[in-house]
Amino acid sequence: MTIPQDHKPCIDLHCHTTASDGALAPGDLVLRAVSQGVSHLAITDHDTIQGLAQARGVAGEHGLVLVNGIELSCVWRSQTIHIVGLDFDHTDPALLAALEEQHDNRWRRARLIADKLSKLRVDGLLEKATAQAGDDVPGRPHFARVLIDEGVVTRMDQAFKRYLGAGKPGDVKACWPELAEVVSWIERAGGISVLAHPRKYRMTATKLRELVSDFRRAGGRGIEVSVSGQSSGDLGFVAELARKEGLLASQGSDFHFPGAPWCELGRIPKMPDGLEPVWHYFRQPVTAVS
Ligand code: MN
Ligand code: MN
Ligand code: MN
């Protein structure tokens, strides 16, 4: 199966594989994208580019254009924010060092969560949570699943209510870098940083504008406008924000696993008019040939 070159591009710049919290291995994700008619894909795993090499091989065989991608967690005013990095140089030494550091931080946190829950006397808790996490670093949901398997609790919400939620022993805060820092990692590696799913943070319009202006001051250039499952009201709001702030518009499904009809690779609401698509600024710009 190859994508005809004279076809209108179908662009998805946000999705996950087993390299983070997605269900499909990178190669399988690329195959699914091809079967969905996606022509240009960015895999944006959380804080890692481990999946890209495998994906690149499969993409090459099927004529799908793979754009380098990542989704980085960071903090802004003590809130966790996600920044998508696109089309960066994946061999950039400073970026690779920063990702390594981020990875170590996540493992430190995982070990700390296991320590804090040691009173529960679950044998091999960290190892079991690691197995739950696949290729990812275990986080609180993975620990919760082990507690269910081991019969400590019966449900996910119980695990959080008793052991992992706010103020409980296993509630170890993630120590993410600052917003400005992760923006600079991407921009210095020749990429474009994009504020991910802006309506997901449940901020007031005023606060969101402040976030956007800090993001721009840090060198951020894009914002996700078309996101799967987003209401048309939110779509219009973010489109207007992008126009006013002169931000490049990005789009993506945020696909994690098959079987969720509201979230499929390449199935993204139409981008509103009057916006500057981020893919016009890729090192190999994507232009419509329709
Ligand atoms: Mn995720
Ligand atoms: Mn996200
Ligand atoms: Mn995501």
Side-chain angles (χ1 to χ4, degrees):
M1 201 171 358
T2 40
I3 292 153
Q5 288 307 301
D6 57 346
H7 232 251
K8 232 181 146 179
C10 175
I11 302 167
D12 191 335
L13 303 175
H14 190 150
C15 63
H16 299 269
T17 76
T18 48
S20 65
D21 58 350
L24 299 182
D28 294 335
L29 182 109
V30 168
L31 291 179
R32 190 180 181 91
V34 169
S35 74
Q36 293 293 329
V38 174
S39 60
H40 296 74
L41 180 75
I43 289 174
T44 53
D45 276 310
H46 296 285
D47 307 302
T48 183
I49 55 171
Q50 293 288 321
L52 299 191
Q54 189 197 120
R56 201 172 294 120
V58 179
E61 289 164 24
H62 292 270
L64 180 141
V65 179
L66 189 76
V67 178
N68 283 341
I70 192 165
E71 181 171 20
L72 291 163
S73 295
C74 61
V75 279
W76 178 77
R77 297 189 188 171
S78 68
Q79 190 170 347
T80 303
I81 301 293
H82 288 172
I83 301 295
V84 161
L86 297 173
D87 200 36
F88 48 81
D89 171 8
H90 63 282
T91 66
D92 182 82
L95 175 66
L96 293 178
L99 294 183
E100 185 93 2
E101 174 80 4
Q102 187 94 317
H103 187 76
D104 292 349
N105 277 337
R106 298 183 81 191
W107 271 111
R108 260 195 293 278
R109 175 176 181 243
R111 282 192 291 267
L112 199 54
I113 294 174
D115 276 358
K116 299 259 184 187
L117 296 180
S118 61
K119 284 202 180 99
L120 296 175
R121 302 198 176 282
V122 173
D123 255 359
L125 176 59
L126 182 60
E127 290 71 22
K128 284 171 182 160
T130 304
Q132 286 284 349
D135 297 334
D136 197 5
V137 182
R140 286 184 299 167
H142 304 117
F143 282 97
R145 246 167 267 148
V146 177
L147 297 187
I148 296 168
D149 288 353
E150 297 290 313
V152 177
V153 292
T154 51
R155 293 191 319 266
M156 199 71 162
D157 60 318
Q158 266 181 355
F160 273 83
K161 219 167 173 181
R162 294 187 193 162
Y163 302 112
L164 291 154
K168 301 299 166 191
D171 175 30
V172 179
K173 293 281 173 272
C175 45
W176 303 121
E178 288 291 327
L179 172 77
E181 202 178 335
V182 305
V183 168
S184 77
W185 296 347
I186 297 160
E187 298 288 334
R188 283 182 193 157
I192 299 175
S193 49
V194 171
L195 180 63
H197 43 62
R199 290 309 262 173
K200 248 194 175 173
Y201 309 118
R202 313 214 162 278
M203 288 176 184
T204 61
T206 310
K207 195 171 177 192
L208 185 54
R209 281 192 201 98
E210 289 168 7
L211 166 62
V212 164
S213 94
D214 282 356
F215 171 69
R216 291 204 47 183
R217 215 167 303 140
R221 289 190 284 159
I223 190 165
E224 278 184 349
V225 175
S226 280
V227 183
S228 297
Q230 177 168 248
S231 75
S232 60
D234 281 348
L235 182 64
F237 176 84
V238 180
E240 190 52 34
L241 188 63
R243 281 185 210 104
K244 272 200 190 128
E245 299 286 337
L247 287 165
L248 304 176
S250 189
Q251 65 180 35
S253 62
D254 207 356
F255 176 90
H256 281 73
F257 50 85
W262 63 90
C263 185
E264 180 55 79
L265 289 164
R267 210 176 295 159
I268 298 156
K270 191 189 170 300
M271 184 74 88
D273 293 329
L275 293 164
E276 193 67 70
V278 68
W279 50 89
H280 288 181
Y281 294 83
F282 288 167
R283 285 172 290 179
Q284 292 192 355
V286 185
T287 44
V289 265
S290 58

